[in-house]
Amino acid sequence: MTAYGPALRKLAVAAVALFAVAAAPSPAQARPEPRAPDGFVALRDVDPTIIQEIRYFTPHNFVGERVTGYRAPMCLLTEPAARALRKAQRTLLRRGYSLKVYDCYRPQRAVDHFVRWAEDLRDERMKEEFYPRVDKSRLFEDGYIAEKSGHSRGSTVDLTIVRLPAPPTRPYVPGEPLTPCYAPQEERFPDNSVDMGTGYDCFDTLSHTDDPRITGVQRAHRDLLRGALVKFGFVNLPEEWWHFTYKPEPFPDTYFDFPVSRRSLPHFQVEGLR
C-alpha cells in the first residue's frame, strides 16, 4: 500500500456520500403534488355564464381566512356534474336568474383545515356571523364539521341563485362588524343572492331546506333552486339549502386531495365541452 492509500480512501468515501446527497430526491420530488384524474373539469370551461364566488379562497367564511388548498378562486367538478349544472343554468336564465356557486370540489386538506379550526375553541372570530347560536364545542356533535366531506369526491356543489342583471358583491373586510347569518336580508352581509332566509354556510337550523319557519318569497326561492337542480340529477342535503350532489357520482368512494387550481386538471379539449 502506498502512502496515499488512506487519503485516497477518504476522498472516495466523501465522493460517494456527495453523490448520494445529490441523487437523493428533493421533498418536492419525493411527494409530487396530486392531480385530478380524467373526468374533472373547470366549471367555467363548461358554462362561463354561471357566477362564481368561491368563499374559501377569501377570508369571508366561518374560519376567517383563506382555506388550505384553495390556490385559485375557481370551481372544479366532475364533468357530469358540470354538464348538469349547465342544463340547470339554461332553465334559470330563461326566467331571468343565474346560478352562483360558493364551493365545488374541496380538497381533503381543506377539510383537515376545518377540523383543526373546530378543535381550537379559542378562535371564534367569525362566530357572530356564521354560528351565533351554536357553541363551538358542539360543531362536531351537531354535524356542522366532519372529518370527511362529499365535496372531496368532486360532484357536490354549494350554490344559490341570483336575479339578473347581477349586482356586484363588495369584498369582505377582515375585522368589520359581523351580523348573524339568519338576520333579515337587508341586515346581513350584502350578497347578490336572492333572499334564501339565511346566508351561505349558516350553522343554524334555519338553514334546513324545509324548515317550516321559511315561508313566502324565501320558500319560493329555495324551491326554485331545488327544482332547477333536481330535474337534472342533483340531490339536496336536507340540512343545507345550498348543498347539492350530482347522482350517480363518478367517484363515490374516493376523497381527493389535489389543490383547487387549473394546474391540477388533466389535459382536455375545452372545445369539446362548449
Side-chain angles (χ1 to χ4, degrees), residues 12-274:
V13 171
V16 169
L18 181 61
F19 177 80
V21 171
S26 67
Q29 292 172 325
R31 295 185 179 180
E33 192 71 85
R35 292 172 59 87
D38 289 339
F40 272 83
V41 296
L43 178 62
R44 197 173 303 282
D45 294 335
V46 178
D47 191 329
T49 71
I50 296 176
I51 300 168
Q52 299 191 27
E53 184 184 321
I54 308 302
R55 285 287 187 88
Y56 299 143
F57 184 76
T58 79
H60 189 212
N61 57 66
F62 59 85
V63 176
E65 62 187 16
R66 183 189 297 185
V67 176
T68 301
Y70 287 82
R71 298 183 184 174
M74 63 186 303
C75 170
L76 306 183
L77 285 171
T78 60
E79 186 175 339
R83 287 183 178 275
L85 278 188
R86 181 174 64 175
K87 294 176 182 178
Q89 173 75 341
R90 288 175 174 175
T91 67
L92 289 170
L93 288 174
R94 289 194 288 268
R95 301 183 61 174
Y97 295 96
S98 172
L99 292 171
K100 180 173 83 167
V101 296
Y102 293 114
D103 192 38
C104 302
Y105 159 74
R106 181 185 305 165
Q108 180 61 45
R109 66 191 74 184
V111 180
D112 295 342
H113 188 166
F114 294 165
V115 170
R116 291 193 302 272
W117 167 82
E119 291 172 341
D120 181 3
L121 300 183
R122 300 166 300 174
D123 184 355
E124 295 189 325
R125 73 187 99 165
M126 303 301 286
K127 178 178 175 60
E128 290 305 310
E129 178 172 355
F130 292 97
Y131 54 106
R133 293 194 285 216
V134 180
D135 191 286
K136 191 176 181 182
S137 65
R138 293 187 55 86
L139 292 182
F140 288 105
E141 184 176 353
D142 290 351
Y144 293 112
I145 300 293
E147 294 183 350
K148 294 288 185 181
S149 169
H151 282 272
S152 301
R153 301 193 296 262
S155 296
T156 295
V157 59
D158 293 341
L159 73 176
T160 187
I161 53 178
V162 176
R163 180 173 286 280
L164 298 173
T169 298
R170 73 165 176 83
Y172 164 76
V173 179
E176 69 176 87
L178 301 176
T179 302
C181 53
Y182 50 74
Q185 186 182 34
E186 61 272 15
E187 298 176 16
R188 300 196 299 264
F189 182 85
D191 185 336
N192 57 9
S193 168
V194 299
D195 188 4
M196 292 290 190
T198 76
Y200 168 58
D201 258 355
C202 188
F203 294 1
D204 195 274
T205 55
L206 272 176
S207 294
H208 293 187
T209 308
D210 291 317
D211 189 288
R213 293 169 292 177
I214 300 299
T215 59
V217 295
Q218 297 173 342
R219 166 58 50 205
H221 291 154
R222 290 191 185 188
D223 289 344
L224 176 61
L225 175 64
R226 177 167 54 182
L229 294 172
V230 167
K231 182 179 179 181
F232 298 105
F234 286 94
V235 177
N236 175 240
L237 179 68
E239 290 78 20
E240 298 177 350
W241 60 257
W242 55 81
H243 181 117
F244 290 83
T245 299
Y246 177 79
K247 300 286 186 174
E249 295 184 65
F251 303 100
D253 303 310
T254 306
Y255 295 83
F256 295 101
D257 193 36
F258 55 86
V260 177
S261 167
R262 182 166 288 276
R263 296 185 64 179
S264 295
L265 291 174
H267 295 294
F268 59 91
Q269 292 295 323
V270 174
E271 292 79 8
L273 298 173
R274 293 286 174 88

